[in-house]
């Protein structure tokens, strides 16, 4: 699930025209903000990935983002049950997958809260430095708030240091 309006994962696997184009088709915005029930087959896109050590390929399924997913941050403010919309939608497809990864935006908002409410585990990427460490402490408090607000399974699985120089 690409839950980041920058849509980098979508752009990487499906192309920039899907992530930024004028006619993106169904995407995360529609899943979160549509009053109609968006069917999984209308939004999930499959991409074959070649395996370097084997013949053939495996398939990666993506619930794409689009740059206008940023509008969901505003629209979700007026929705009842707004923090549970992604969790309910993923309930339709979770049996198909062993793992579902959610790429979140680098800030805490409605998209990230939806992702946290839909998750069992979190891996937190963090840059070394004082300010990122302070942000990490605040994020841990957010995890505890999400746990007490309805997702008691949520736990931190790991913290991954990013942007290290070799």
């Amino acid at each position: 699930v690409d839950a980041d309006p920058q849509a980098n994962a979508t752009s990487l696997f499906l192309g920039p025209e899907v992530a930024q184009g004028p006619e993106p088709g169904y995407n995360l915005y529609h899943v979160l903000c549509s009053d109609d029930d968006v069917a999984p087959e209308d939004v999930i896109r499959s991409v074959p990935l070649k395996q370097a050590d084997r013949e053939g390929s495996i398939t990666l399924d993506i619930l794409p983002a689009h740059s206008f997913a940023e509008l969901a941050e505003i629209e979700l403010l007026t929705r009842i049950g707004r923090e549970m919309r992604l969790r309910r939608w993923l309930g339709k497809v979770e049996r198909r997958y062993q793992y579902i990864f959610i790429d979140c935006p680098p800030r805490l908002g409605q998209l990230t809260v939806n992702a946290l409410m839909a998750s069992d585990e979190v891996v937190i990427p963090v840059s070394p430095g004082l300010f990122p460490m302070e942000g990490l402490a605040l994020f841990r408090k957010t995890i505890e708030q999400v746990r007490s607000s309805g997702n008691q399974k949520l736990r931190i699985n790991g913290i991954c240091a990013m942007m290290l120089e070799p």
Side-chain angles (χ1 to χ4, degrees):
V1 176
D2 190 356
D4 188 346
Q6 291 179 3
N8 291 335
T10 299
S11 187
L12 177 67
F13 291 108
L14 299 174
E17 64 281 355
V18 175
Q20 308 295 329
E23 300 292 331
Y26 286 113
N27 56 58
L28 178 70
Y29 170 82
H30 300 96
V31 166
L32 295 176
C33 296
S34 178
D35 290 331
D36 298 327
D37 198 23
V38 178
E41 57 274 7
D42 291 338
V43 68
I44 293 174
R45 301 191 190 188
S46 296
V47 177
L49 301 176
K50 292 183 180 180
Q51 294 180 310
D53 59 340
R54 297 188 186 146
E55 291 270 331
S57 63
I58 58 173
T59 301
L60 175 70
D61 287 351
I62 301 175
L63 191 164
H66 186 271
S67 57
F68 66 56
E70 190 71 47
L71 297 173
E73 293 282 356
I74 297 165
E75 289 189 35
L76 285 171
L77 291 174
T78 61
R79 305 288 174 124
I80 294 174
R82 64 184 167 260
E83 67 281 349
M84 302 294 279
R85 292 179 78 95
L86 182 59
R87 181 176 176 174
R88 282 193 301 272
W89 191 87
L90 286 174
K92 298 179 204 177
V93 299
E94 66 185 347
R95 288 194 176 109
R96 298 181 194 177
Y97 303 101
Q98 186 173 2
Y99 298 101
I100 297 175
F101 293 90
I102 305 173
D103 179 29
C104 295
R107 65 189 172 290
L108 186 61
Q110 291 299 317
L111 298 173
T112 302
V113 170
N114 258 273
L116 292 173
M117 292 300 282
S119 300
D120 294 336
E121 300 177 14
V122 176
V123 175
I124 306 167
V126 66
S127 301
L130 175 63
F131 296 122
M133 291 300 120
E134 288 176 355
L136 180 59
L138 291 171
F139 191 70
R140 286 175 157 230
K141 287 181 182 179
T142 300
I143 296 289
E144 288 307 313
Q145 289 175 336
V146 168
R147 287 177 54 102
S148 65
S149 297
N151 186 359
Q152 296 173 355
K153 294 190 291 184
L154 184 63
R155 68 182 183 89
I156 297 174
N157 187 308
I159 299 169
C160 183
M162 306 299 288
M163 294 194 239
L164 298 174
E165 291 186 24

